[in-house]
Amino acid sequence: MHVSLKTPCPGGARRPGNIVWALCLYTLLATTPALASEAEGFIPLDGGTFTMGSEAHYREEAATRQVTVGPFLIKATEVTNAEFQAFVEATGYVTTAEQALDPADYPDVPPDLLKAGSMVFAEPAEKQNLQDFRQWWRYVPGANWRAPSGPGSTIQGKEDHPVVHVSPEDARAYAKWAGGRLPSEAEWEFAARGGLDGATYTWGDSYDPSEGWKANTWQGLFPNVDLAEDGHHGTAPVGSFPANGYGLYDMAGNVWEHVADWWVPGHPAREEIDPQGPPEAIAASFANQAVGPMHVVKGGSWLCAPSYCLRYRPAARQSAERSLGSNHIGFRIVKDVGEEH
């Protein structure tokens, strides 16, 4: 038996009108952990061995190698604004984007960059040099998960969009509160592939939009013309595009997703079992001393275009600062088997 992720269940936001049916479903879920997990939005994966990485695109994705991961449960969608708001209201948590930096700790940082805020994409009016990302990124004081474009903006009406402007620290705090954790990069990539080992995309080896849009990405001349032919400029409600073979949504595009691993520009050329990534000290050796070691983000975002950032692929990866968010990075969480409740 399969319980749809959209099935109303007691205690959720949507309640059934038939009380007899509701009691029946409640009894079923209470006695069937796997079904309860799915009803809560988690998909159980058995784990397995797959080919991690790619040697056909960007060099930080190499080397390819065989990796084995154990069983785990993964959230079917990215964490939404509504879900993150529930966490904040329950705990009083304050995100890193809502905290100013201490000038004593950052004596060489300009005052404007010490203010609480985050990075916001600013679509330029004209074609730009693609080697200089400063032409389309701005540090905006007052930008945070509640105000994704800066002061005056809001998440009202976007409760079902992925939360953004969250740092790895914020994501870990939410995960702990929700009874989970951030996935390892290996777990995330295994899940993103949806059983298609070695495929380029989460849906296969080719992408023909005439067959239907499969992810929220950029159409047009990046960074100044987004045609929004897929129906979205900016983030989309989670689950707006088809799920992969494991029933997971937005494993390509929409927002980049934080994972637990520290960043180094490549993979070790060896087989591994449940790899957890490099130690922080090794990551620090690849980082700018003023910024510190970086974390890995996966999956690409609505800003990825074939002409600039063909990273809406399972093997794709980039680095992200541990204390800085942006309006194209979010996250999803996983749970260990046996910790469904």
Side-chain angles (χ1 to χ4, degrees), residues 48 55 93 111 122 139 145 162 177 198 210 238 248 277 283 297 299 310 329 340:
E55 298 184 19
Y93 184 83
Y139 184 80
W145 71 274
W177 172 78
S210 68
V238 299
L248 304 173
V297 291
L310 186 60
I329 300 178
E340 299 93 334

Side-chain angles (χ1 to χ4, degrees), residues 64-216:
T64 58
R65 77 266 207 245
Q66 294 295 292
V67 169
T68 301
V69 296
F72 61 99
L73 300 100
I74 183 167
K75 197 171 186 299
T77 66
E78 294 154 337
V79 174
T80 65
N81 285 316
E83 290 167 332
F84 197 79
Q85 183 171 359
F87 157 62
V88 170
E89 290 177 350
T91 63
Y93 184 83
V94 179
T95 63
T96 55
E98 298 171 280
Q99 303 176 53
L101 298 178
D102 186 341
D105 295 332
Y106 299 91
D108 299 324
V109 175
D112 282 350
L113 298 183
L114 295 172
K115 298 177 181 178
S118 191
M119 299 298 292
V120 175
F121 174 78
E123 194 169 339
E126 300 177 352
K127 183 178 179 180
Q128 300 293 324
N129 175 6
L130 294 183
Q131 303 303 312
D132 186 4
F133 65 85
R134 294 173 299 177
Q135 301 302 311
W136 56 85
W137 282 109
R138 301 284 186 273
Y139 184 80
V140 178
N144 55 56
W145 71 274
R146 291 186 177 92
S149 297
S153 63
T154 179
I155 58 171
Q156 186 173 357
K158 295 184 177 182
E159 290 82 2
D160 57 354
H161 285 232
V163 65
V164 293
H165 295 300
V166 285
S167 67
E169 179 181 340
D170 301 330
R172 285 194 300 269
Y174 174 92
K176 183 177 181 180
W177 172 78
R181 57 178 173 82
L182 289 181
S184 68
E185 182 177 2
E187 288 173 328
W188 191 99
E189 189 167 328
F190 172 82
R193 292 187 177 279
L196 299 178
D197 189 25
T200 300
Y201 301 101
T202 63
W203 52 81
D205 281 318
S206 62
Y207 190 10
D208 183 356
S210 68
E211 299 174 355
W213 296 104
K214 294 180 171 62
N216 179 19

